[in-house]
Each structure stands twice: as structure tokens, then as C-alpha cells.
Amino acid sequence: MANFDKVHVVQDARIELHDKLSLTGAEISINHLPAGASVPFVHSHKNNEEIYAVLSGKGKVVIDGEDVELAAGDWLRISPVGKRQFFAAEDSEISFICIQVKENSLESYTKEDAVV
């Protein structure tokens, strides 16, 4: 039995990797909005914070009524209760990764968690 899972994905509107990679501590999705499109709903979470990485394009996210401009290379963390909705710019598509994890669950990281 391998100690890893690998998957190849192609660009689609939304791809969730939870089942594809047998994730046990996070949810990861790859999202693509064409120019002028938006996620069709506002949402928040009960327990999970979300970390976003903008891969390409530009747009904005509205968080609790505040517009936050986004462009390739931007990273953003939103607390669970923040109400959010994503929009592509009128003249540009936007592609981003969303990593969802339980807020305050990280006990150690990088060198503290590594076994050499």
C-alpha cells in the first residue's frame, strides 16, 4: 500500500480533491470563474477557515460587505464566520485554490512536525 495519493486534474468550474486524494485533515478545491461570473451564493462556515490562493486572473471577494480585490499571486485567509462571495472581473477570468481546515487545529508545523 502506497503512502501517497496522486491525481491529475484538468481545468473545470470546480474540482474537489477530498475524495480524489483521500484527504483526512483538509478539503481542497480548485475553482475557475469565467470573466463576469460569480459564485452563485454567499456562504460562511461553522468551524472551517478557508485559505485561498489566486492562480491566475483577477476579480474580487466580498467579505462581510467589504470588497477585496484579488489578482494572481494573492493569498487570503477568511475566518469561518466571514460571509463571502467570489466574483471574476468583467474583463478577466479568475482561477483559485481553496484550502479548508478546522480553525485553530494546527498543533505543529514544518520543522516541529518533521521526523528525520
Side-chain angles (χ1 to χ4, degrees), residues 36-89:
S38 67
V39 172
F41 54 86
V42 175
H43 78 284
S44 61
H45 289 274
K46 296 175 187 171
N47 299 304
N48 294 341
E49 65 186 7
E50 290 182 323
I51 301 99
Y52 292 90
V54 181
L55 302 174
S56 64
K58 62 183 180 176
K60 71 176 181 179
V61 58
V62 178
I63 307 167
D64 296 331
E66 181 179 343
D67 288 2
V68 179
E69 297 297 319
L70 297 172
D74 286 347
W75 284 82
L76 173 71
R77 176 206 169 262
I78 304 176
S79 68
V81 297
K83 292 183 167 89
R84 67 212 73 172
Q85 184 177 18
F86 284 80
F87 299 82

Side-chain angles (χ1 to χ4, degrees), residues 3 10 15 19 24 43 48-49 53 62 67 73 80 84 91 97 104 106 109 113:
N3 287 322
V10 294
I15 299 164
D19 292 336
T24 64
H43 78 284
N48 294 341
E49 65 186 7
V62 178
D67 288 2
R84 67 212 73 172
D91 62 345
I97 292 174
N104 297 314
L106 186 63
Y109 56 94
D113 188 55

Side-chain angles (χ1 to χ4, degrees), residues 92-111:
S92 174
E93 62 186 19
I94 189 168
S95 293
F96 55 91
I97 292 174
C98 176
I99 305 166
Q100 203 179 118
V101 295
K102 185 174 181 182
E103 187 177 45
N104 297 314
S105 64
L106 186 63
E107 295 177 2
S108 61
Y109 56 94
T110 316
K111 67 180 182 181

Side-chain angles (χ1 to χ4, degrees), residues 16-37:
E16 294 180 351
L17 297 177
H18 179 266
D19 292 336
K20 294 178 184 332
L21 290 175
S22 303
L23 300 176
T24 64
E27 172 63 283
I28 301 173
S29 63
I30 304 165
N31 303 270
H32 178 77
L33 295 172

